[in-house]
Each structure stands twice: as structure tokens, then as C-alpha cells.
PDB file of all heavy atoms in Angstrom:
ATOM      1  N   ILE W   1     -10.334 -14.264   5.422  1.00 94.00           N
ATOM      2  CA  ILE W   1     -10.974 -12.949   5.540  1.00 94.00           C
ATOM      3  C   ILE W   1      -9.945 -11.908   5.983  1.00 94.00           C
ATOM      4  O   ILE W   1      -9.905 -10.786   5.452  1.00 94.00           O
ATOM      5  CB  ILE W   1     -12.157 -13.003   6.528  1.00 94.00           C
ATOM      6  CG1 ILE W   1     -13.281 -13.867   5.955  1.00 94.00           C
ATOM      7  CG2 ILE W   1     -12.675 -11.603   6.838  1.00 94.00           C
ATOM      8  CD1 ILE W   1     -14.393 -14.177   6.933  1.00 94.00           C
ATOM      9  N   SER W   2      -9.092 -12.282   6.925  1.00 95.00           N
ATOM     10  CA  SER W   2      -8.049 -11.372   7.402  1.00 95.00           C
ATOM     11  C   SER W   2      -7.020 -11.081   6.315  1.00 95.00           C
ATOM     12  O   SER W   2      -6.520  -9.957   6.197  1.00 95.00           O
ATOM     13  CB  SER W   2      -7.350 -11.953   8.632  1.00 95.00           C
ATOM     14  OG  SER W   2      -8.262 -12.090   9.702  1.00 95.00           O
ATOM     15  N   ALA W   3      -6.699 -12.105   5.500  1.00 95.00           N
ATOM     16  CA  ALA W   3      -5.754 -11.900   4.397  1.00 95.00           C
ATOM     17  C   ALA W   3      -6.320 -10.884   3.410  1.00 95.00           C
ATOM     18  O   ALA W   3      -5.596 -10.011   2.912  1.00 95.00           O
ATOM     19  CB  ALA W   3      -5.472 -13.228   3.699  1.00 95.00           C
ATOM     20  N   TYR W   4      -7.604 -10.989   3.134  1.00 96.00           N
ATOM     21  CA  TYR W   4      -8.259 -10.047   2.216  1.00 96.00           C
ATOM     22  C   TYR W   4      -8.285  -8.649   2.829  1.00 96.00           C
ATOM     23  O   TYR W   4      -8.001  -7.646   2.146  1.00 96.00           O
ATOM     24  CB  TYR W   4      -9.671 -10.535   1.920  1.00 96.00           C
ATOM     25  CG  TYR W   4     -10.235 -10.033   0.618  1.00 96.00           C
ATOM     26  CD1 TYR W   4     -10.011 -10.742  -0.564  1.00 96.00           C
ATOM     27  CD2 TYR W   4     -10.997  -8.880   0.564  1.00 96.00           C
ATOM     28  CE1 TYR W   4     -10.546 -10.303  -1.770  1.00 96.00           C
ATOM     29  CE2 TYR W   4     -11.530  -8.425  -0.642  1.00 96.00           C
ATOM     30  CZ  TYR W   4     -11.302  -9.137  -1.798  1.00 96.00           C
ATOM     31  OH  TYR W   4     -11.818  -8.686  -2.988  1.00 96.00           O
ATOM     32  N   LEU W   5      -8.613  -8.582   4.108  1.00 96.00           N
ATOM     33  CA  LEU W   5      -8.636  -7.302   4.815  1.00 96.00           C
ATOM     34  C   LEU W   5      -7.254  -6.657   4.808  1.00 96.00           C
ATOM     35  O   LEU W   5      -7.114  -5.453   4.553  1.00 96.00           O
ATOM     36  CB  LEU W   5      -9.126  -7.525   6.248  1.00 96.00           C
ATOM     37  CG  LEU W   5      -9.332  -6.300   7.143  1.00 96.00           C
ATOM     38  CD1 LEU W   5     -10.392  -6.615   8.197  1.00 96.00           C
ATOM     39  CD2 LEU W   5      -8.048  -5.873   7.858  1.00 96.00           C
ATOM     40  N   PHE W   6      -6.226  -7.465   5.052  1.00 97.00           N
ATOM     41  CA  PHE W   6      -4.865  -6.942   5.096  1.00 97.00           C
ATOM     42  C   PHE W   6      -4.419  -6.448   3.719  1.00 97.00           C
ATOM     43  O   PHE W   6      -3.693  -5.454   3.606  1.00 97.00           O
ATOM     44  CB  PHE W   6      -3.908  -8.019   5.605  1.00 97.00           C
ATOM     45  CG  PHE W   6      -2.516  -7.520   5.863  1.00 97.00           C
ATOM     46  CD1 PHE W   6      -2.285  -6.504   6.783  1.00 97.00           C
ATOM     47  CD2 PHE W   6      -1.430  -8.065   5.188  1.00 97.00           C
ATOM     48  CE1 PHE W   6      -1.001  -6.033   7.024  1.00 97.00           C
ATOM     49  CE2 PHE W   6      -0.144  -7.609   5.426  1.00 97.00           C
ATOM     50  CZ  PHE W   6       0.075  -6.587   6.348  1.00 97.00           C
ATOM     51  N   GLY W   7      -4.887  -7.111   2.668  1.00 97.00           N
ATOM     52  CA  GLY W   7      -4.563  -6.661   1.319  1.00 97.00           C
ATOM     53  C   GLY W   7      -5.104  -5.270   1.052  1.00 97.00           C
ATOM     54  O   GLY W   7      -4.406  -4.414   0.481  1.00 97.00           O
ATOM     55  N   ALA W   8      -6.331  -5.016   1.465  1.00 97.00           N
ATOM     56  CA  ALA W   8      -6.915  -3.688   1.304  1.00 97.00           C
ATOM     57  C   ALA W   8      -6.164  -2.665   2.153  1.00 97.00           C
ATOM     58  O   ALA W   8      -5.897  -1.539   1.711  1.00 97.00           O
ATOM     59  CB  ALA W   8      -8.392  -3.715   1.696  1.00 97.00           C
ATOM     60  N   PHE W   9      -5.802  -3.066   3.362  1.00 97.00           N
ATOM     61  CA  PHE W   9      -5.064  -2.192   4.280  1.00 97.00           C
ATOM     62  C   PHE W   9      -3.725  -1.761   3.678  1.00 97.00           C
ATOM     63  O   PHE W   9      -3.392  -0.570   3.633  1.00 97.00           O
ATOM     64  CB  PHE W   9      -4.842  -2.952   5.595  1.00 97.00           C
ATOM     65  CG  PHE W   9      -4.039  -2.201   6.622  1.00 97.00           C
ATOM     66  CD1 PHE W   9      -4.629  -1.258   7.432  1.00 97.00           C
ATOM     67  CD2 PHE W   9      -2.683  -2.466   6.789  1.00 97.00           C
ATOM     68  CE1 PHE W   9      -3.898  -0.571   8.390  1.00 97.00           C
ATOM     69  CE2 PHE W   9      -1.942  -1.790   7.740  1.00 97.00           C
ATOM     70  CZ  PHE W   9      -2.550  -0.833   8.542  1.00 97.00           C
ATOM     71  N   VAL W  10      -2.978  -2.722   3.174  1.00 97.00           N
ATOM     72  CA  VAL W  10      -1.659  -2.447   2.599  1.00 97.00           C
ATOM     73  C   VAL W  10      -1.775  -1.575   1.354  1.00 97.00           C
ATOM     74  O   VAL W  10      -1.029  -0.599   1.178  1.00 97.00           O
ATOM     75  CB  VAL W  10      -0.941  -3.771   2.259  1.00 97.00           C
ATOM     76  CG1 VAL W  10       0.307  -3.509   1.416  1.00 97.00           C
ATOM     77  CG2 VAL W  10      -0.564  -4.500   3.542  1.00 97.00           C
ATOM     78  N   SER W  11      -2.721  -1.918   0.470  1.00 97.00           N
ATOM     79  CA  SER W  11      -2.851  -1.184  -0.786  1.00 97.00           C
ATOM     80  C   SER W  11      -3.365   0.227  -0.599  1.00 97.00           C
ATOM     81  O   SER W  11      -3.250   1.071  -1.489  1.00 97.00           O
ATOM     82  CB  SER W  11      -3.775  -1.939  -1.752  1.00 97.00           C
ATOM     83  OG  SER W  11      -5.078  -2.067  -1.213  1.00 97.00           O
ATOM     84  N   GLU W  12      -3.929   0.508   0.559  1.00 96.00           N
ATOM     85  CA  GLU W  12      -4.388   1.868   0.864  1.00 96.00           C
ATOM     86  C   GLU W  12      -3.259   2.729   1.416  1.00 96.00           C
ATOM     87  O   GLU W  12      -3.221   3.942   1.197  1.00 96.00           O
ATOM     88  CB  GLU W  12      -5.551   1.810   1.866  1.00 96.00           C
ATOM     89  CG  GLU W  12      -6.324   3.097   2.014  1.00 96.00           C
ATOM     90  CD  GLU W  12      -7.110   3.483   0.769  1.00 96.00           C
ATOM     91  OE1 GLU W  12      -7.456   2.602  -0.039  1.00 96.00           O
ATOM     92  OE2 GLU W  12      -7.387   4.695   0.612  1.00 96.00           O
ATOM     93  N   LEU W  13      -2.306   2.098   2.092  1.00 96.00           N
ATOM     94  CA  LEU W  13      -1.222   2.844   2.732  1.00 96.00           C
ATOM     95  C   LEU W  13      -0.007   3.082   1.838  1.00 96.00           C
ATOM     96  O   LEU W  13       0.694   4.077   2.005  1.00 96.00           O
ATOM     97  CB  LEU W  13      -0.753   2.110   3.994  1.00 96.00           C
ATOM     98  CG  LEU W  13      -1.691   2.097   5.202  1.00 96.00           C
ATOM     99  CD1 LEU W  13      -1.032   1.345   6.354  1.00 96.00           C
ATOM    100  CD2 LEU W  13      -2.025   3.526   5.634  1.00 96.00           C
ATOM    101  N   LEU W  14       0.250   2.178   0.897  1.00 95.00           N
ATOM    102  CA  LEU W  14       1.513   2.204   0.174  1.00 95.00           C
ATOM    103  C   LEU W  14       1.628   3.145  -1.025  1.00 95.00           C
ATOM    104  O   LEU W  14       2.753   3.514  -1.378  1.00 95.00           O
ATOM    105  CB  LEU W  14       1.871   0.789  -0.289  1.00 95.00           C
ATOM    106  CG  LEU W  14       2.308  -0.188   0.806  1.00 95.00           C
ATOM    107  CD1 LEU W  14       2.758  -1.496   0.179  1.00 95.00           C
ATOM    108  CD2 LEU W  14       3.434   0.400   1.655  1.00 95.00           C
ATOM    109  N   PRO W  15       0.562   3.521  -1.716  1.00 94.00           N
ATOM    110  CA  PRO W  15       0.727   4.289  -2.954  1.00 94.00           C
ATOM    111  C   PRO W  15       1.634   5.513  -2.859  1.00 94.00           C
ATOM    112  O   PRO W  15       2.543   5.675  -3.678  1.00 94.00           O
ATOM    113  CB  PRO W  15      -0.711   4.684  -3.310  1.00 94.00           C
ATOM    114  CG  PRO W  15      -1.518   3.543  -2.800  1.00 94.00           C
ATOM    115  CD  PRO W  15      -0.850   3.152  -1.507  1.00 94.00           C
ATOM    116  N   ASN W  16       1.425   6.387  -1.889  1.00 93.00           N
ATOM    117  CA  ASN W  16       2.267   7.582  -1.776  1.00 93.00           C
ATOM    118  C   ASN W  16       3.700   7.225  -1.443  1.00 93.00           C
ATOM    119  O   ASN W  16       4.652   7.808  -1.996  1.00 93.00           O
ATOM    120  CB  ASN W  16       1.707   8.533  -0.709  1.00 93.00           C
ATOM    121  CG  ASN W  16       0.464   9.256  -1.179  1.00 93.00           C
ATOM    122  OD1 ASN W  16       0.278   9.474  -2.377  1.00 93.00           O
ATOM    123  ND2 ASN W  16      -0.400   9.622  -0.254  1.00 93.00           N
ATOM    124  N   LEU W  17       3.889   6.270  -0.554  1.00 93.00           N
ATOM    125  CA  LEU W  17       5.232   5.839  -0.166  1.00 93.00           C
ATOM    126  C   LEU W  17       5.993   5.294  -1.373  1.00 93.00           C
ATOM    127  O   LEU W  17       7.176   5.599  -1.568  1.00 93.00           O
ATOM    128  CB  LEU W  17       5.132   4.765   0.922  1.00 93.00           C
ATOM    129  CG  LEU W  17       6.446   4.218   1.480  1.00 93.00           C
ATOM    130  CD1 LEU W  17       7.199   5.315   2.224  1.00 93.00           C
ATOM    131  CD2 LEU W  17       6.189   3.034   2.397  1.00 93.00           C
ATOM    132  N   VAL W  18       5.327   4.527  -2.193  1.00 95.00           N
ATOM    133  CA  VAL W  18       5.972   3.905  -3.355  1.00 95.00           C
ATOM    134  C   VAL W  18       6.378   4.955  -4.388  1.00 95.00           C
ATOM    135  O   VAL W  18       7.525   5.001  -4.833  1.00 95.00           O
ATOM    136  CB  VAL W  18       5.042   2.855  -4.000  1.00 95.00           C
ATOM    137  CG1 VAL W  18       5.594   2.399  -5.347  1.00 95.00           C
ATOM    138  CG2 VAL W  18       4.875   1.667  -3.064  1.00 95.00           C
ATOM    139  N   LYS W  19       5.463   5.815  -4.770  1.00 90.00           N
ATOM    140  CA  LYS W  19       5.772   6.761  -5.845  1.00 90.00           C
ATOM    141  C   LYS W  19       6.785   7.818  -5.428  1.00 90.00           C
ATOM    142  O   LYS W  19       7.509   8.347  -6.271  1.00 90.00           O
ATOM    143  CB  LYS W  19       4.495   7.418  -6.368  1.00 90.00           C
ATOM    144  CG  LYS W  19       3.810   8.381  -5.423  1.00 90.00           C
ATOM    145  CD  LYS W  19       2.524   8.907  -6.066  1.00 90.00           C
ATOM    146  CE  LYS W  19       1.772   9.861  -5.147  1.00 90.00           C
ATOM    147  NZ  LYS W  19       0.505  10.298  -5.760  1.00 90.00           N
ATOM    148  N   HIS W  20       6.880   8.094  -4.123  1.00 90.00           N
ATOM    149  CA  HIS W  20       7.849   9.084  -3.663  1.00 90.00           C
ATOM    150  C   HIS W  20       9.234   8.491  -3.433  1.00 90.00           C
ATOM    151  O   HIS W  20      10.220   9.226  -3.362  1.00 90.00           O
ATOM    152  CB  HIS W  20       7.356   9.747  -2.374  1.00 90.00           C
ATOM    153  CG  HIS W  20       6.155  10.619  -2.578  1.00 90.00           C
ATOM    154  ND1 HIS W  20       5.188  10.814  -1.607  1.00 90.00           N
ATOM    155  CD2 HIS W  20       5.737  11.319  -3.663  1.00 90.00           C
ATOM    156  CE1 HIS W  20       4.245  11.609  -2.073  1.00 90.00           C
ATOM    157  NE2 HIS W  20       4.558  11.932  -3.313  1.00 90.00           N
ATOM    158  N   ASN W  21       9.326   7.181  -3.323  1.00 91.00           N
ATOM    159  CA  ASN W  21      10.618   6.553  -3.046  1.00 91.00           C
ATOM    160  C   ASN W  21      11.146   5.673  -4.186  1.00 91.00           C
ATOM    161  O   ASN W  21      12.349   5.438  -4.267  1.00 91.00           O
ATOM    162  CB  ASN W  21      10.519   5.701  -1.773  1.00 91.00           C
ATOM    163  CG  ASN W  21      10.396   6.542  -0.523  1.00 91.00           C
ATOM    164  OD1 ASN W  21      11.384   7.021   0.022  1.00 91.00           O
ATOM    165  ND2 ASN W  21       9.167   6.755  -0.054  1.00 91.00           N
ATOM    166  N   PHE W  22      10.247   5.198  -5.043  1.00 91.00           N
ATOM    167  CA  PHE W  22      10.683   4.301  -6.117  1.00 91.00           C
ATOM    168  C   PHE W  22      10.441   4.877  -7.511  1.00 91.00           C
ATOM    169  O   PHE W  22      10.769   4.255  -8.510  1.00 91.00           O
ATOM    170  CB  PHE W  22       9.967   2.951  -5.985  1.00 91.00           C
ATOM    171  CG  PHE W  22      10.292   2.231  -4.711  1.00 91.00           C
ATOM    172  CD1 PHE W  22       9.443   2.317  -3.611  1.00 91.00           C
ATOM    173  CD2 PHE W  22      11.441   1.484  -4.594  1.00 91.00           C
ATOM    174  CE1 PHE W  22       9.733   1.650  -2.422  1.00 91.00           C
ATOM    175  CE2 PHE W  22      11.747   0.809  -3.418  1.00 91.00           C
ATOM    176  CZ  PHE W  22      10.897   0.903  -2.332  1.00 91.00           C
ATOM    177  N   LEU W  23       9.825   6.056  -7.578  1.00 89.00           N
ATOM    178  CA  LEU W  23       9.596   6.757  -8.841  1.00 89.00           C
ATOM    179  C   LEU W  23       8.701   5.987  -9.815  1.00 89.00           C
ATOM    180  O   LEU W  23       8.739   6.220 -11.021  1.00 89.00           O
ATOM    181  CB  LEU W  23      10.937   7.097  -9.517  1.00 89.00           C
ATOM    182  CG  LEU W  23      11.917   7.914  -8.655  1.00 89.00           C
ATOM    183  CD1 LEU W  23      13.205   8.163  -9.427  1.00 89.00           C
ATOM    184  CD2 LEU W  23      11.278   9.222  -8.215  1.00 89.00           C
ATOM    185  N   ILE W  24       7.934   5.058  -9.286  1.00 96.00           N
ATOM    186  CA  ILE W  24       6.905   4.386 -10.070  1.00 96.00           C
ATOM    187  C   ILE W  24       5.620   4.382  -9.242  1.00 96.00           C
ATOM    188  O   ILE W  24       5.651   4.611  -8.031  1.00 96.00           O
ATOM    189  CB  ILE W  24       7.289   2.933 -10.441  1.00 96.00           C
ATOM    190  CG1 ILE W  24       7.464   2.078  -9.178  1.00 96.00           C
ATOM    191  CG2 ILE W  24       8.530   2.909 -11.317  1.00 96.00           C
ATOM    192  CD1 ILE W  24       7.678   0.597  -9.471  1.00 96.00           C
TER     193      ILE W  24
END
């Protein structure tokens, strides 16, 4: 359950960071 929760947590935080630093 925590692994699933953490997956949602990570995928909510990373989108802006990824597209601004990796250009994808």
C-alpha cells in the first residue's frame, strides 16, 4: 500500500522538474 502511495506521490511531484531539466 505504501509503495502504491509513494508512486502517486512521486508522479505528482516530478513532472515540472523533469520537463524543465531534461527537455522531455
